[in-house]
Amino acid sequence: MDAASTNQRALDTFLRGVERRALRMAELASGNRDDALDLVQDAMCAFVRNYAAKPQAEWAPLFHRVLDSRLNDFHRRRTVRSRWLAVFDRKSGDDDAPDPVEQAQDLQDPGPLMRLAGSEAGKALDVALKALPLRQRQAFLLRMWEGFDVATTAQVMQCSEGSVKTHTSRALVALRRMLEDHR
């Protein structure tokens, strides 16, 4: 077996291993499963294109850096788009008429964490994670869920180690407060 096919197998294994957690992180950040799927796919393609030749030990932080960049870009685009839509979204006529889109049932899949937990505590955790500010959620998920150390998390988030510690600490305090009833 040649080195190229060995590297390809290792890369496939790595991407399969990180896929679900990355999807969940993107889903929490975007609030939409379809957007999350697009973000993860885009991050994986960019990672393979730019970093597949790097040593395997560097893949996890590099992939999460790419995913983090995609999530930040997504939020920037959403902010700009919402500003423009606010300018052009002038309702005319009957303002009291119900909006059929707003009344439509959300058929979105709750995600793997919710299916796994399925309990009230799991639902509360999902709500609490979504309620965290973006940087706190990123630091918490990278440190606690991905198991990255402070230095690697700082590298992924492109901030200082002190910021990682602060964001993680604040996230833990907020989660404890929001999940008090589920201890």
Side-chain angles (χ1 to χ4, degrees):
M1 187 178 305
D2 65 342
S5 64
T6 302
N7 191 44
Q8 182 63 39
R9 279 195 183 142
L11 187 59
D12 289 344
T13 302
F14 168 75
L15 291 174
R16 260 188 259 113
V18 76
E19 179 181 29
R20 285 185 179 197
R21 293 186 313 274
L23 178 60
R24 189 64 186 135
M25 292 172 89
E27 194 173 10
L28 286 168
S30 69
N32 181 294
R33 186 155 178 92
D34 292 332
D35 288 338
L37 286 166
D38 290 342
L39 288 163
V40 171
Q41 181 179 14
D42 187 41
M44 286 183 169
C45 289
F47 170 78
V48 169
R49 191 172 42 249
N50 297 311
Y51 300 112
K54 294 282 187 180
Q56 288 183 29
E58 297 178 16
W59 284 354
L62 287 171
F63 172 76
H64 284 284
R65 179 68 230 136
V66 172
L67 180 61
D68 185 56
S69 293
R70 295 302 186 263
L71 294 173
N72 286 333
D73 291 345
F74 172 81
H75 285 287
R76 285 186 199 110
R77 281 192 307 273
R78 180 190 282 177
T79 301
V80 169
R81 190 175 299 128
S82 67
R83 286 183 194 150
W84 279 102
L85 288 176
V87 170
F88 294 110
D89 189 28
R90 305 282 189 238
K91 287 190 177 183
S92 59
D94 188 12
D95 287 343
D96 295 329
D99 184 355
V101 175
E102 290 177 4
Q103 293 182 336
Q105 181 181 1
D106 185 8
L107 302 176
Q108 187 178 30
D109 182 31
L113 182 63
M114 291 295 289
R115 283 193 304 273
L116 179 65
S119 68
E120 195 172 311
K123 291 175 187 174
L125 176 60
D126 191 55
V127 168
L129 284 171
K130 286 178 183 176
L132 288 175
L134 177 63
R135 299 296 279 177
Q136 288 180 21
R137 183 174 50 241
Q138 287 173 318
F140 176 81
L141 291 173
L142 290 171
R143 291 276 294 126
M144 303 303 161
W145 200 11
E146 291 297 326
F148 289 162
D149 60 15
V150 173
T152 304
T153 303
Q155 177 188 357
V156 169
M157 292 178 64
Q158 291 185 331
C159 64
S160 70
E161 291 182 18
S163 291
V164 169
K165 292 176 185 177
T166 299
H167 289 309
T168 305
S169 173
R170 289 179 181 168
L172 287 170
V173 167
L175 289 171
R176 281 186 192 116
R177 187 181 67 249
M178 287 186 269
L179 299 172
E180 262 180 347
D181 298 337
H182 298 284
R183 286 188 190 189

